[in-house]
Amino acid sequence: MKKFLVLLVVLSLYNCKNKPKNTTTTVKKVALAKGNLQLPNYEALSLLDKPLDEPKPGDWLSSHDENGQSFEQYFKNEKLVSPLQHKNTIYIQPIGTFTPWEKKIIDWNTQYIQLFFGLKTIQLKTISEKNIPKNKQRIHYGNEQLHAGYIVHSLLSKKMPNDGIVIMALTAKDLYPDPKWNFVFGLASYQKRTGVSSIFRYSNGDLDEKNYHYVCNVLLKLQHMRLVICFL
């Protein structure tokens, strides 16, 4: 079964450079219980580990003093949630308008998430940016931006279906978490089980057939990491 799921994930990544087809994928649901989780062999994995270099000017840690967190510390957090029998569906909430190329990325992202987590994943009907108050939007250096914090803490929490384990928004507009910040790629909350990602800064210009494959792969790799923040 594990080999089969790995094959499906590889096929999903390959399809980033191909036109999506109307296919239906059935994935066996996997329930993850904290008590049954077996930690990996860290001694063996350490051979692949590369220590972080000292922070350089411009790096996050060069201006933010943060304590490290081990996996054991993260795993002991009582506020983490796991898929349950009645809460086992991931929901993807598109926000705003999308070009045909951007819509393809959203569609493949939805399929990839289902394959990666082994949980039913549903893409909800796209909602308008008008759902976000004007005071939670801005023009910054010529870019239209949406307030990521409002989306995560206010908008999505009200749209969570009863069987949802997490709801993740996707938008083609730029995001900002705080008026003092220029932008943010995404934001998530494991307490709310909500998150948002933007594809705005991945394409370095308009998204088209030339950069579609690159943007699709970047989003797939980062999106599942952001979802991990929302639940375990």
Side-chain angles (χ1 to χ4, degrees):
M1 182 62 185
K2 291 183 178 179
K3 292 182 179 179
F4 176 67
L5 286 176
V6 170
L7 176 61
L8 289 176
V9 170
V10 171
L11 289 175
S12 178
L13 287 172
Y14 170 78
N15 281 326
C16 281
K17 55 184 177 183
N18 293 287
K19 183 179 180 179
K21 300 178 180 179
N22 293 325
T23 58
T24 301
T25 304
T26 302
V27 179
K28 181 179 179 181
K29 295 180 180 180
V30 179
L32 178 61
K34 290 185 178 180
N36 295 332
L37 182 67
Q38 294 182 356
L39 298 181
N41 186 332
Y42 288 111
E43 185 175 350
L45 289 175
S46 64
L47 298 176
L48 304 174
D49 185 37
K50 180 183 177 181
L52 289 174
D53 296 329
E54 289 296 320
K56 300 180 178 60
D59 289 346
W60 177 268
L61 291 178
S62 68
S63 56
H64 297 81
D65 186 17
E66 295 184 351
N67 295 323
Q69 183 186 46
S70 67
F71 179 76
E72 290 89 344
Q73 291 173 324
Y74 167 81
F75 192 64
K76 289 179 181 179
N77 192 327
E78 296 181 353
K79 295 181 180 180
L80 294 177
V81 295
S82 299
L84 303 173
Q85 185 174 1
H86 63 288
K87 288 187 180 296
N88 53 16
T89 302
I90 298 173
Y91 286 92
I92 303 300
Q93 177 61 76
I95 299 178
T97 57
F98 300 91
T99 66
W101 286 106
E102 292 168 346
K103 185 60 170 62
K104 289 179 183 180
I105 285 185
I106 303 301
D107 292 341
W108 279 124
N109 181 77
T110 302
Q111 293 188 34
Y112 174 80
I113 288 173
Q114 174 164 310
L115 296 173
F116 184 89
F117 289 100
L119 294 172
K120 183 179 179 181
T121 303
I122 296 176
Q123 185 181 139
L124 299 172
K125 183 179 179 180
T126 301
I127 61 174
S128 170
E129 297 155 4
K130 294 180 180 179
N131 288 272
I132 302 173
K134 288 294 184 181
N135 64 347
K136 297 300 180 181
Q137 301 183 41
R138 72 178 185 181
I139 303 295
H140 193 61
Y141 290 106
N143 298 324
E144 294 182 56
Q145 293 184 319
L146 307 178
H147 195 288
Y150 177 82
I151 295 173
V152 168
H153 297 291
S154 299
L155 180 63
L156 294 180
S157 58
K158 299 175 183 178
K159 292 183 173 294
M160 176 78 76
N162 293 332
D163 64 344
I165 179 65
V166 62
I167 181 170
M168 170 69 72
L170 287 173
T171 180
K173 290 295 178 64
D174 204 15
L175 298 171
Y176 72 102
D178 183 273
K180 297 179 181 179
W181 286 49
N182 287 327
F183 71 93
V184 69
F185 289 101
L187 191 68
S189 169
Y190 60 76
Q191 293 175 316
K192 296 280 188 178
R193 294 180 286 124
T194 57
V196 60
S197 287
S198 167
I199 63 176
F200 178 82
R201 293 183 177 268
Y202 296 149
S203 59
N204 192 25
D206 293 335
L207 183 62
D208 53 32
E209 59 183 343
K210 296 180 181 179
N211 54 20
Y212 168 76
H213 187 205
Y214 169 78
V215 175
C216 185
N217 276 281
V218 171
L219 181 64
L220 293 183
K221 293 174 182 178
L222 295 180
Q223 184 76 330
H224 80 266
M225 294 172 60
R226 198 157 287 125
L227 279 167
V228 169
I229 299 176
C230 300
F231 74 96
L232 183 64

